[in-house]
Amino acid sequence: MAYPLEQALAVMVTTFHKYSGKEGDKYKLSKAELKELLNKELPVFGSKQMDEAEFRRLMNDLDHDKDSEVDFKEYVCFLACITMGFNEFFKDGPTKQPRKK
Amino acid sequence: MAYPLEQALAVMVTTFHKYSGKEGDKYKLSKAELKELLNKELPVFGSKQMDEAEFRRLMNDLDHDKDSEVDFKEYVCFLACITMGFNEFFKDGPTKQPRKK
C-alpha cells in the first residue's frame, strides 16, 4: 500500500537526482541544473520570471557552503522554506490539494 | 498539468493539517496527533515500534521551542531530516521510487 507522505519524500529525492547527475558533481546541482529543475518541476516558484542577477542571488542564498553548487541538504532546506510558504497559503483556505487552474 | 514536486510539497502540508486540527491548537501537533500521523502516514519511520520513552525523546527532539507541541516548522525540519536519510539510501541504488516489498 502506498503512503502519500512517503511518496512525497521520495519524489523530492528522485527529482534532485534527475537533474544533479547531468553535469559536474553527480550529487550536487550546478546553477544550470538548479535552474532547469525549478523551471520544469517547480514553476509555482517563478524562476522563469527571474533575470540573471535575481537567479544568481537565489543561488547564493541556497549555497550555504559557497562551493557554487547546491547539495542535497541545501536543496531540502530550500524546499522546506517553500513548503512553509505553501502552509501559510493553506492555513486559511480549505485543507485540500492545490487545484491547478 | 500536475508537477510531482509541487504535489509532494502540498501533500506535506495537507498531511500536517489532517492531524493537527484534531485536538488543542489547530496549527500544532500534540504528542497523540504526531504519533497517529507517523503511524498512519510514515510507517517507514518505525514509530509503531517505539516504546513510550523513545517516543517522548523523539517529541522532545522535534519540539525546539519546548511548548510540548510540534508546529509546522518543526514538522518540516523533521521531514527534511528523514528525506536526507532517504537520499543516502537512494544515492547508491537506482534513482527509482522506493518499491514496497
Side-chain angles (χ1 to χ4, degrees), chain A residues 16-46:
Chain A
F16 178 86
H17 289 280
K18 186 173 158 186
Y19 294 87
S20 67
K22 293 192 172 202
E23 61 178 22
D25 185 324
K26 197 172 120 176
Y27 295 131
K28 293 185 181 179
L29 293 168
S30 66
K31 206 171 103 186
E33 289 167 336
L34 175 68
K35 192 158 180 61
E36 188 182 0
L37 186 156
L38 293 180
N39 288 352
K40 291 183 177 170
E41 307 289 346
L42 208 66
V44 71
F45 180 69

Side-chain angles (χ1 to χ4, degrees), chain B residues 88-100:
Chain B
E88 288 312 312
F89 174 79
F90 257 77
K91 258 165 85 167
D92 308 315
T95 52
K96 280 195 310 297
Q97 303 276 341
R99 265 177 304 103
K100 288 287 139 198

Side-chain angles (χ1 to χ4, degrees), chain A residues 31-88:
Chain A
K31 206 171 103 186
E33 289 167 336
L34 175 68
K35 192 158 180 61
E36 188 182 0
L37 186 156
L38 293 180
N39 288 352
K40 291 183 177 170
E41 307 289 346
L42 208 66
V44 71
F45 180 69
S47 52
K48 276 187 183 166
Q49 288 73 32
M50 285 184 166
D51 61 30
E52 182 56 25
E54 284 168 328
F55 196 81
R56 227 190 350 256
R57 242 194 328 270
L58 169 68
M59 183 78 182
N60 193 45
D61 290 345
L62 302 189
D63 181 19
H64 299 154
D65 60 10
K66 301 304 173 214
D67 65 350
S68 303
E69 300 208 88
V70 173
D71 62 28
F72 189 78
K73 188 175 178 187
E74 293 163 342
Y75 161 79
V76 164
C77 287
F78 175 55
L79 291 184
C81 293
I82 294 181
T83 308
M84 284 198 273
F86 268 35
N87 183 53
E88 289 311 311

Side-chain angles (χ1 to χ4, degrees), chain B residues 1 4 6 29 34 39 54 67 72 75-76 81 88 90 99:
Chain B
M1 192 179 113
E6 289 185 358
L29 293 167
L34 176 67
N39 288 351
E54 284 167 329
D67 65 350
F72 189 78
Y75 162 79
V76 163
C81 293
E88 288 312 312
F90 257 77
R99 265 177 304 103

Side-chain angles (χ1 to χ4, degrees), chain B residues 48-90:
Chain B
K48 277 186 183 166
Q49 289 72 34
M50 284 183 167
D51 63 30
E52 182 55 26
E54 284 167 329
F55 196 81
R56 225 188 354 255
R57 242 195 327 272
L58 169 67
M59 184 77 182
N60 193 45
D61 290 346
L62 302 189
D63 180 19
H64 300 153
D65 60 11
K66 300 303 172 219
D67 65 350
S68 303
E69 301 209 85
V70 172
D71 62 29
F72 189 78
K73 187 175 177 186
E74 293 162 342
Y75 162 79
V76 163
C77 287
F78 175 55
L79 291 185
C81 293
I82 294 181
T83 308
M84 285 198 275
F86 269 34
N87 183 53
E88 288 312 312
F89 174 79
F90 257 77

